[in-house]
Amino acid sequence: MQNQNKRPDSMERITTAALAEKFIDEQILSIKAQVGDGKVLLALSGGVDSSVVAALLIKAIGKQLTCVHVNHGLMRKGESEQVIEVFKNQLGANLIYVDATDRFLDLLEGVSDPEQKRKIIGGEFIKVFDEEARKLEGISFLAQGTIYPDILESDGIKAHHNVGGLPQKMEFELVEPIKLLFKDEVRVVGHALGLPDSMVNRQPFPGPGLGVRCPGAITRDRLLTLRESDAILREEFENAGLAGKVWQFFTVVPDFRSTGIRNGKRVFDRIVIIRAVNTVDAMSATVPEIEWAVLKKITDRILNEVPGAGRVLYDLSPKEPATIEYE
Ligand code: XMP
């Protein structure tokens, strides 16, 4: 029998809208055949993979799908709002939005060990998702945004980093419509499904979210500095035409302060680090030369607009020896 987890040699690479349409039509039929009139549950993070799976399933089975979006309080600015806008308001999905910010941040209070932080975030995510799933009745399928590299590189980046995956103890049959696709193909399919560019071209975002960019014990005020500075960075990279050219970029706010001076008074402000990298496979990475004027504009805006930010640095370290993230 054919191995369902192996991409057939004959499978054409999806590079055009027409090929994506064909894939979508085939998947709609196959999802309908698998699910029948059953109910499907999906954890929708807003990342490319889960968003494409959601859009496919909505097309195939509409309200038989329930999406759960857990906001762990470590999302980038505007991301949860975009998930609600696109899936609930525009596509009319059954979407359960859980704002679990306080649960996560309370548990993380005072925890500075990076592994411990990841464990707490992953464990709590499963708990929240599990609680929501139990409130629903008659779910027999769990949809997942597994893609081909996840199957191929079972010891690759995602497996190495990911914070937990989904509840193992719940016995659902899996629905994995994009498991034979590579990332670039997922994006072509996402466009064909009409998802917004900002969602389809979204950068990789770690499961523990901004938590790994807030090194040491996370505090709410440091998280605010992080989220606001990150939003400015994204806006200015977009304005400078860099958003599609630089592979990944974000800010980091370390857990120590530095001396500054405001209105003649000594202050101890936060430090914001800009991290931008280019890479093919995230195993190694280089730092792009960003125009001085762009860096200066971002610096000025962060210093003027972000509460508590008093110093801005640009990280010049390639991978290796530095990793892309800080924790
Ligand atoms: P590092 O920091 O190891 O990151 O150089 C390599 C890539 O992996 C992303 N990353 C994660 N992705 N869950 C993920 O799905 C995670 O926990 C995680 N941590 C890091 C990182 O953003 C970079 O693209």
Side-chain angles (χ1 to χ4, degrees), residues 87-283:
F87 290 98
K88 192 173 187 130
N89 302 349
Q90 294 176 19
L91 298 177
N94 261 334
L95 173 72
I96 299 175
Y97 169 67
V98 190
D99 183 357
T101 301
D102 287 337
R103 273 177 73 159
F104 281 84
L105 296 188
D106 288 351
L107 274 176
L108 286 163
E109 211 179 304
V111 181
S112 56
D113 177 65
E115 285 316 310
Q116 194 56 25
K117 283 167 68 180
R118 275 177 189 274
K119 269 197 196 123
I120 290 174
I121 297 167
E124 194 60 13
F125 180 86
I126 290 173
K127 244 185 174 170
V128 175
F129 186 77
D130 195 55
E131 281 169 24
E132 293 305 317
R134 276 169 210 289
K135 288 184 206 159
L136 302 167
E137 287 192 353
I139 303 278
S140 29
F141 298 89
L142 184 69
Q144 281 191 338
T146 313
I147 64 170
Y148 205 44
D150 302 335
I151 293 174
L152 290 179
E153 305 159 16
S154 50
D155 56 350
I157 293 287
K158 249 193 192 170
H160 167 68
H161 281 301
N162 261 352
V163 284
L166 290 170
Q168 300 294 320
K169 54 183 188 287
M170 291 197 274
E171 285 185 4
F172 295 129
E173 183 179 324
L174 292 180
V175 181
E176 297 178 303
I178 58 170
K179 73 176 173 188
L180 296 184
L181 301 193
F182 288 101
K183 198 75 169 195
D184 54 313
E185 298 179 295
V186 178
R187 296 196 206 274
V188 178
V189 171
H191 275 301
L193 285 163
L195 291 174
D197 278 359
S198 57
M199 203 166 241
V200 172
N201 296 324
R202 195 170 179 257
Q203 302 174 42
F205 188 58
L210 297 181
V212 294
R213 299 173 184 172
C214 213
I218 300 168
T219 59
R220 282 164 208 257
D221 75 316
R222 198 146 57 94
L223 207 47
L224 179 71
T225 308
L226 181 60
R227 187 173 282 120
E228 295 300 322
S229 59
D230 182 76
I232 290 174
L233 177 72
R234 278 200 282 166
E235 209 178 300
E236 293 304 329
F237 264 42
E238 191 71 54
N239 291 341
L242 292 169
K245 292 191 189 137
V246 177
W247 194 79
Q248 192 175 14
F249 47 92
F250 51 86
T251 60
V252 174
V253 180
D255 59 348
F256 57 92
R257 292 172 184 267
S258 80
T259 324
I261 182 150
R262 281 189 197 269
N263 304 320
K265 276 205 186 122
R266 233 170 126 80
V267 287
F268 292 97
D269 279 335
R270 297 274 181 222
I271 298 168
V272 174
I273 301 169
I274 299 171
R275 183 73 169 139
V277 293
N278 278 327
T279 177
V280 176
D281 55 8
M283 298 307 218

Side-chain angles (χ1 to χ4, degrees), residues 14 16-29 31 42 44 47-61 65 86-87 90-92 177-178 181 184-197 199-200:
I14 303 171
T16 63
L19 290 170
E21 295 293 351
K22 185 168 155 258
F23 172 84
I24 293 166
D25 291 342
E26 285 163 6
Q27 284 309 314
I28 289 177
L29 290 178
I31 292 164
L42 169 73
L44 177 58
V48 195
D49 304 339
S50 66
S51 297
V52 167
V53 168
L56 262 177
L57 282 155
I58 291 165
K59 264 203 141 164
I61 56 165
L65 172 73
V86 170
F87 290 98
Q90 294 176 19
L91 298 177
I178 58 170
L181 301 193
D184 54 313
E185 298 179 295
V186 178
R187 296 196 206 274
V188 178
V189 171
H191 275 301
L193 285 163
L195 291 174
D197 278 359
M199 203 166 241
V200 172

